[in-house]
């Protein structure tokens, strides 16, 4: 029993010493009402959960420790347009008026202070440029992920001093 309590005490001390990581909280309205969140092959709720997990990963990678980013997704318009091709549906990307766009509100807080708070519409008109190696062309939200990572770095990552 003594060993158990020593283990618990050691874990608690370790947890208190380590800095808390950044937290990203994502909320969204009704994905069924979004401009183009899903299609016959992809449930809009699953698309939103995929993007939510990705935003949390970006927060872990780019935000300073002990900061909180709250994102409310207001609308999602995925790259391309769904086109019926019975018995399935395919997504056609042309690079014209079918760019990915996400409308959102966000608030970045640190030390109980609001550092940034805005409503933005994020779009990538050049989304058909070559994909970087870290992105899979088979990912149904690859263009949205790349767009969100670029936005994340522009908004929340301080440039390195020269």
């Amino acid at each position: 029993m003594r060993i158990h309590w020593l283990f618990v005490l050691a874990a608690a001390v370790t947890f208190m010493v380590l800095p808390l990581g950044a937290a990203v909280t994502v909320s969204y309205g009704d994905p069924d009402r979004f401009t183009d969140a899903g299609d016959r092959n992809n449930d809009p709720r699953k698309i939103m959960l995929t993007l939510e997990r990705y935003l949390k990963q970006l927060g872990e990678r780019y935000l300073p420790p002990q900061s909180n980013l709250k994102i409310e997704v207001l609308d999602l318009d995925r790259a391309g347009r769904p086109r019926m091709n019975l018995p399935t549906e395919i997504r056609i990307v042309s690079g014209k008026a079918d760019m990915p766009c996400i409308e959102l509100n966000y608030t970045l807080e640190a030390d109980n202070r609001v550092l940034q708070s805005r409503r933005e519409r994020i779009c990538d008109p050049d989304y058909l440029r070559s994909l970087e190696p870290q992105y899979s062309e088979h990912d149904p939200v690859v263009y949205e992920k790349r767009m969100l990572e670029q936005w994340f770095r522009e908004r929340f990552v301080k440039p390195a001093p020269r």
Side-chain angles (χ1 to χ4, degrees), residues 14-78:
T14 302
F15 181 73
M16 291 171 42
V17 171
L18 293 175
L20 294 175
V24 175
T25 306
V26 180
S27 63
Y28 45 91
D30 184 1
D32 291 329
R33 296 183 179 259
F34 288 174
T35 301
D36 181 22
D39 50 43
R40 290 181 67 177
N41 299 324
N42 296 289
D43 182 328
R45 285 165 189 76
K46 287 183 182 177
I47 294 293
M48 291 309 305
L49 289 174
T50 300
L51 292 177
E52 179 179 344
R53 282 192 297 273
Y54 188 68
L55 285 164
K56 288 180 179 194
Q57 290 172 1
L58 292 174
E60 291 170 3
R61 188 178 322 147
Y62 294 119
L63 290 176
Q66 300 179 343
S67 60
N68 295 309
L69 178 62
K70 296 175 187 167
I71 299 174
E72 178 187 14
V73 178
L74 305 171
D75 192 23
L76 172 62
D77 187 358
R78 290 176 52 206

Side-chain angles (χ1 to χ4, degrees), residues 15-153:
F15 181 73
M16 291 171 42
V17 171
L18 293 175
L20 294 175
V24 175
T25 306
V26 180
S27 63
Y28 45 91
D30 184 1
D32 291 329
R33 296 183 179 259
F34 288 174
T35 301
D36 181 22
D39 50 43
R40 290 181 67 177
N41 299 324
N42 296 289
D43 182 328
R45 285 165 189 76
K46 287 183 182 177
I47 294 293
M48 291 309 305
L49 289 174
T50 300
L51 292 177
E52 179 179 344
R53 282 192 297 273
Y54 188 68
L55 285 164
K56 288 180 179 194
Q57 290 172 1
L58 292 174
E60 291 170 3
R61 188 178 322 147
Y62 294 119
L63 290 176
Q66 300 179 343
S67 60
N68 295 309
L69 178 62
K70 296 175 187 167
I71 299 174
E72 178 187 14
V73 178
L74 305 171
D75 192 23
L76 172 62
D77 187 358
R78 290 176 52 206
R81 293 286 171 248
R83 178 167 294 159
M84 285 301 294
N85 185 18
L86 296 176
T88 63
E89 184 175 75
I90 58 174
R91 187 164 282 273
I92 305 294
V93 293
S94 68
K96 295 183 177 137
D98 61 351
M99 68 184 142
C101 291
I102 296 176
E103 188 169 348
L104 51 78
N105 285 327
Y106 73 89
T107 302
L108 177 64
E109 300 173 339
D111 300 322
N112 295 323
R113 297 181 315 145
V114 173
L115 304 177
Q116 294 182 42
S117 187
R118 290 192 187 116
R119 179 178 183 145
E120 285 192 51
R121 182 166 175 81
I122 308 159
C123 297
D124 185 3
D126 189 28
Y127 74 96
L128 286 180
R129 68 189 178 279
S130 296
L131 288 169
E132 295 81 0
Q134 71 264 29
Y135 298 108
S136 168
E137 64 186 30
H138 303 293
D139 185 340
V141 288
V142 64
Y143 300 117
E144 293 77 8
K145 284 181 175 180
R146 179 173 60 182
M147 177 181 70
L148 286 170
E149 182 167 8
Q150 180 179 343
W151 170 78
F152 214 93
R153 287 192 317 243

